[in-house]
Amino acid sequence: MDEDLVWCINYLKNINHLTEEIHLTPELALRALMNITMPLSLSDEFYERQDKILKRLISRKETIDVENLEEIRPHISIVKSDIVSLKADAIVDAGNEKLLGCFLPLHGCVDNAIHSFAGLEVRRDLLKMMERQGHDEACGLVKVTKGYNLQAKYIFHTVGPQIIHRVNEKNERDLKSSYLSCLKKADEMHLKSLVFPSISTGIYGYPIEKACKIAINVTKNYLLNSKIKRVVFDLFSQGDYNVYFDAIKESYR
Ligand code: ADP
């Protein structure tokens, strides 16, 4: 087994006071351990070894440079991909109000994927920001970290609305605000490309047909006065991709 992997697994097991054997492949064991770790004072050696491993794991994935995607409408592309495979100036992470990434080992949400492949540096940086802030993150805002081991230069962390019964006006405002905050931040930072996952339409239960209309309308209007060259909607299933595809065609009729 790879020496760095063994070292990092043992290091994180130690930090988390785990003694039992983990019955997963080494790569998954490391990811699961990263997911549960609060990075209070991890050593430089851990970060160096973790970075080597993650760079190698990412290089095994097929990278998509968003600049090479076809534009379905001016400055807009859609793609079906794991967001961690995308090379862009910034990708957006749909987080929760704690903004520290997903703590459920190997959970299938976009937040878990992004934090797991970017590295624990992201949780460390967010922890500092959240401690300084002193309260949970409200919906519709954005905080920025570096992309670390990802191909994206930056990660934009936003919290979308969680649907309890059915979508209400505040939920709509909050979702709009998440998209708008990220678009404005990208311009402010002079970024050329920005990738959105389908915010709130997974665990948070926003119906995708409604959410995607908001995503598309906010973006389309914003791009009329923006220097961003490319906004990409990244979908994770063919069904979601088709919904976005049809909605984009419809909205530009
Ligand atoms: P939320 O809590 O905001 O609903 P989720 O992660 O549960 O966030 O889901 C948001 C969207 O992200 C869903 O459409 C889900 O299918 C998608 N998703 C999950 N994993 C990935 C990934 N690795 N890359 C891109 N999209 C993803």
Side-chain angles (χ1 to χ4, degrees):
M1 210 206 292
D2 174 274
E3 193 208 318
D4 292 319
L5 263 171
V6 178
W7 192 95
C8 286
I9 289 169
N10 287 332
Y11 181 82
L12 291 187
K13 273 177 79 174
N14 216 4
I15 295 263
N16 289 290
H17 311 291
L18 296 175
T19 47
E20 66 270 37
E21 217 183 305
I22 302 176
H23 297 285
L24 290 168
T25 63
E27 284 84 0
L28 287 180
L30 175 63
R31 176 167 174 172
L33 286 162
M34 286 168 66
N35 293 157
I36 62 166
T37 298
M38 192 58 110
L40 291 174
S41 51
L42 302 179
S43 66
D44 290 346
E45 183 173 3
F46 168 77
Y47 285 117
E48 274 164 34
R49 289 180 184 260
Q50 173 218 248
D51 291 353
K52 258 165 70 186
I53 297 164
L54 293 179
K55 290 247 158 57
R56 200 176 58 233
L57 291 180
I58 294 256
S59 73
R60 284 192 209 147
K61 292 176 177 277
E62 200 181 322
T63 305
I64 300 174
D65 186 335
V66 301
E67 279 190 14
N68 297 331
L69 291 172
E70 189 194 333
E71 287 189 348
I72 175 170
R73 286 294 180 266
H75 308 296
I76 292 188
S77 300
I78 56 173
V79 65
K80 183 169 88 65
S81 165
D82 182 344
I83 203 162
V84 304
S85 311
L86 298 180
K87 183 165 182 229
D89 284 347
I91 61 168
V92 175
D93 183 10
N96 60 45
E97 74 282 4
K98 301 291 173 205
L99 218 66
L100 298 178
C102 171
F103 280 82
L104 296 175
L106 310 180
H107 189 245
C109 64
V110 71
D111 195 20
N112 190 296
I114 291 175
H115 276 260
S116 298
F117 283 92
L120 275 168
E121 292 91 337
V122 176
R123 184 174 279 168
R124 175 198 65 195
D125 293 357
L126 287 168
L127 186 60
K128 283 188 197 143
M129 289 184 222
M130 293 308 284
E131 277 177 355
R132 234 178 288 136
Q133 172 164 296
H135 57 79
D136 287 353
E137 182 78 343
C139 287
L141 306 175
V142 64
K143 283 195 170 33
V144 181
T145 63
K146 290 199 255 176
Y148 289 100
N149 296 290
L150 296 180
Q151 320 249 26
K153 286 188 206 136
Y154 297 100
I155 307 171
F156 284 8
H157 304 264
T158 190
V159 184
Q162 187 168 6
I163 307 307
I164 307 297
H165 297 297
R166 64 171 75 97
V167 176
N168 61 34
E169 282 179 17
K170 178 171 186 322
N171 301 146
E172 288 175 1
R173 276 200 308 276
D174 285 343
L175 191 62
K176 269 186 205 163
S177 178
S178 274
Y179 282 97
L180 202 53
S181 298
C182 293
L183 289 160
K184 283 183 180 163
K185 182 58 79 178
D187 254 332
E188 216 177 282
M189 293 173 65
H190 308 289
L191 303 187
K192 296 284 170 247
S193 57
L194 175 65
V195 179
F196 285 110
S198 185
I199 300 170
S200 283
T201 67
I203 314 285
Y204 274 12
Y206 210 119
I208 189 155
E209 288 79 5
K210 288 189 175 160
C212 87
K213 282 198 183 117
I214 291 179
I216 293 161
N217 283 332
V218 170
T219 304
K220 180 179 153 187
N221 290 333
Y222 185 84
L223 286 176
L224 296 174
N225 280 304
S226 159
K227 291 209 163 59
I228 304 172
K229 291 248 177 311
R230 186 70 62 96
V231 173
V232 178
F233 295 109
D234 174 39
L235 292 316
F236 207 43
S237 71
Q238 191 59 47
D240 287 356
Y241 180 95
N242 295 345
V243 171
Y244 264 75
F245 185 86
D246 292 345
I248 289 173
K249 295 253 145 133
E250 182 66 29
S251 101
Y252 281 83
R253 247 167 221 256

